[in-house]
Amino acid sequence: MTGNNSERRAALANDIRREVGSEATKRFLRTLPAFRLEKEVPKRLTDLLDRLDEAEAGEVGGERHQ
């Protein structure tokens, strides 16, 4: 019974993976505001990234590791 159950779970995971990756799903998701790509990064996020860079630079003696 366990082998049969794990086979069904694997088949279901493959089906879900295939559906999520389909072009139709990708097209649909692009129409939803939450999944729409922004052309540029909002100012508040660039400010946060700048603060993060400063904090990281301070932790490693002023040098940025990349």
Side-chain angles (χ1 to χ4, degrees):
M1 177 103 169
T2 305
N4 190 23
N5 191 24
S6 63
E7 288 173 14
R8 285 190 292 170
R9 290 177 143 222
L12 177 61
N14 286 334
D15 288 343
I16 291 171
R17 221 175 273 115
R18 187 179 65 247
E19 286 297 318
V20 168
S22 73
E23 279 304 312
T25 302
K26 290 177 186 179
R27 263 193 317 274
F28 171 70
L29 290 176
R30 277 187 231 117
T31 66
L32 300 175
F35 293 97
R36 206 169 283 144
L37 294 176
E38 294 189 27
K39 299 290 183 202
E40 52 189 59
V41 179
K43 173 120 173 75
R44 65 183 174 83
L45 290 180
T46 55
D47 291 345
L48 288 173
L49 289 170
D50 289 342
R51 287 178 53 198
L52 181 60
D53 284 342
E54 292 170 5
E56 286 177 342
E59 288 178 10
V60 292
E63 293 181 21
R64 171 125 168 116
H65 289 343
Q66 293 186 2

